[in-house]
Amino acid sequence: MLKIALGQMEVLPGRPDINTDKMLSMIQHARNERADLIIFPEMAIPGYLLGDTWEQPSFLRDCEAFGQQIIAASRDICVIFGNVAVDWDRHGDDGRVRKHNACFVAQAGRLIGTCIKTLQPNYREFDDTRHFFSLRKLALERNQNIDSLLTPVTVTIRNDKYRLGCIICEDGWNDDYNIDPIAILRTQGPLDLIINISSSPFTLGKNNKRNRVFSKQAQETGVPLIYLNTTGIQNNGKTVYTFDGFSTVYNRLGEIIAYCPPFTETLDYLDLPVKAAGQDLAPTSVPDDSTIDSIYLTLSYGIKKFLQSIGMNKVVIGLSGGIDSAVSAALFASILHPENILLVNMPSKFNSQTTRDLAAQLAQNLGCLYTVMPIEQSVEYTASQIAGTPITNLANGRQCNLLVSSFVLENIQARDRSSRLLAGIAAAFGGGFTCNANKSELTVGYSTLYGDQAGFLAALADLWKYQVYQLANYLNDKVYGREVIPQAIIDLMPSAELSYDQSVDQGKGDPIIYAYHDYLFRAFMEHWNRATPEDILNWYSQGTAVLEQKLGCQDGLINKLFSSPREFIEDLERWWRLYTGMAVAKRIQAPPVLAVSRRVYGFDHREAQNRVYFTQEYLRIKDRLLSTM
């Protein structure tokens, strides 16, 4: 029987001093509880998403020094932890000092094993190969088999020897690699325990998949498996990731016998009958992480931690009376004290009394600070100044005036609200103002640069519109237990209300048909093999039922929306041109996005400003469909 301490800790990226102090405290607590073994996450000392901080030798020296403190603290207890391993005598492919992402095993005040990460993810938000030298690459350099470098670590506890197979995060997600670290460890003789230390960001539904993958690994090896993950938030500049922990223990049958609560820093203990491979312990069920509950939990947790990390405790939210700003307000109000939230309604002549009243009602329901600041006068002044001030051609002395079109006037309104009012109000209030954009808007740039796409954090920008509505109902039903977001806001036609053509009282609203376009845009952006117009039109040509099945939208919807292939194609091309065109420029300058989904805008969705492109096959399918009309 081993008494194992699971150190599911919040790792502060770039603060090895704070992380080490926390680890030392947990080690002492585990020692007092007579634990035999304590496990910490991947990169527990430095943090994981650090950008090019990894290029600072002085930072690396600090990480090494703090690692030595952890090793020294391993008297009377075995400590397994993640840190950077530096080979000062060699360099990586970038010419800098060589660094490894490593798992250290310490006991009796000394280092008894160092395991280097074998597989390095280089997709989504991960950029490991930029900084670290993998075990796979090390074996190639030395002209050795990985088998000779990837070996179990043997520890002795109360005169019994235990062979530990220590791997790091991606080493357990090996289906698409030609190397299987766990299979290699099995060839080294019998294992008593597999330990996977991780720094794995939350993704909606990811733990459900992990449980399937890791359960299978425990079954196939016949060895208990411990997955130890970190909590907290880390970022790579444009994208903020939450880390949910959810550390889990599997017995030899692949059954889950223990787990740490998600989004909670904790030091949990488990008495594991290693010789019986954990199968004597009763299995337990774990919560589903693919529901709206998990979306709320990660958003609430991420916002709270992000505010703490930047030292902000006051927030200004532009409150239009629409669904996005309403959800944003209710979300922040569930985190901050109402007196630290200032809700601002900024009507123009285009805003209906309906949305003005709904904004006031929501503010009343939340109990936040509230003000109304009309923008009509300043918008008119800006428009008249632009149109009324002559522009001189200094080469010939000729003058002309600019035309303020209705489209330009819409943008002036949006920028007046954000760049002028909200920015100024936030500075005076001593806080920041939010960006309330959703993922559908961000996809096609249905927002104004320096206007409603401005703010310190885009907390809803990884939610499709249908998820925003789900969250609104969840906030009412589960978080507040009453109707804080008026049902009229949920039922209202979504509209920017920037012109009379967007009058909500007349049922006019956004050009995006969310019931369909949410799913079309998701195919462009979130599908692992991302769809292009060629894929969409190919599925459409096979029948609208095929397309609806591929996209996941409502059956029969496409024929209701588009009466002919020409209409369908015009709609498809309109949004594709925006998604790959002007929207890219807007996204590059957008605020940081709080990640929820399997692909999020920012560093997870790397893009360049290129010209719009349609493949040759798409053009052939298009010609064929249109020629039959």
Side-chain angles (χ1 to χ4, degrees), residues 153-165:
V153 177
T154 301
V155 299
T156 302
I157 298 174
R158 295 190 304 277
N159 297 321
D160 288 328
K161 294 185 181 297
Y162 297 91
R163 289 170 58 81
L164 310 179

Side-chain angles (χ1 to χ4, degrees), residues 306-378:
F306 187 75
L307 291 173
Q308 291 174 356
S309 71
I310 63 176
M312 183 182 293
N313 57 17
K314 291 186 175 183
V315 170
V316 175
I317 301 175
L319 198 63
S320 67
I323 188 66
D324 296 316
S325 63
V327 168
S328 183
L331 191 56
F332 275 88
S334 71
I335 297 166
L336 294 174
H337 191 279
E339 291 186 358
N340 289 332
I341 299 176
L342 175 55
L343 305 178
V344 185
N345 183 247
M346 298 164 287
S348 74
K349 64 183 179 182
F350 302 118
N351 290 97
S352 66
Q353 193 61 47
T354 299
T355 53
R356 298 186 199 195
D357 291 344
L358 288 172
Q361 183 181 342
L362 174 64
Q364 179 70 40
N365 293 347
L366 293 174
C368 299
L369 302 176
Y370 183 62
T371 188
V372 179
M373 295 191 183
I375 64 170
E376 190 60 42
Q377 186 177 3
S378 59

Side-chain angles (χ1 to χ4, degrees), residues 226-242:
I226 296 178
Y227 161 79
L228 201 292
N229 192 25
T230 183
T231 64
I233 64 167
Q234 300 187 40
N235 73 85
N236 46 30
K238 292 293 290 184
T239 316
V240 180
Y241 296 94
T242 61

Side-chain angles (χ1 to χ4, degrees), residues 440-451:
S440 309
E441 295 169 344
L442 211 59
T443 297
V444 291
Y446 187 60
S447 55
T448 301
L449 198 58
Y450 318 126

Side-chain angles (χ1 to χ4, degrees), residues 41-43 47-48 126 169 197-201 228-230 234 243:
E42 174 186 16
M43 290 295 185
Y48 185 37
F126 302 111
C169 204
I197 63 169
S198 291
S199 186
S200 184
L228 201 292
N229 192 25
T230 183
Q234 300 187 40
F243 290 73

Side-chain angles (χ1 to χ4, degrees), residues 530-551:
R530 292 165 53 202
T532 67
E534 176 185 321
D535 302 297
I536 302 300
L537 205 56
N538 182 40
W539 296 332
Y540 176 81
S541 68
Q542 297 175 43
T544 55
V546 173
L547 177 58
E548 288 158 351
Q549 188 272 328
K550 293 287 187 180
L551 297 182

Side-chain angles (χ1 to χ4, degrees), residues 442-486:
L442 211 59
T443 297
V444 291
Y446 187 60
S447 55
T448 301
L449 198 58
Y450 318 126
D452 50 339
Q453 200 166 338
F456 77 93
L457 176 68
L460 304 181
D462 200 23
L463 300 185
W464 301 107
K465 193 75 168 186
Y466 73 88
Q467 293 173 313
V468 175
Y469 283 107
Q470 289 177 352
L471 186 56
N473 288 312
Y474 184 86
L475 286 162
N476 281 348
D477 298 341
K478 302 297 184 181
V479 178
Y480 289 95
R482 56 190 175 91
E483 190 180 287
V484 293
I485 300 176

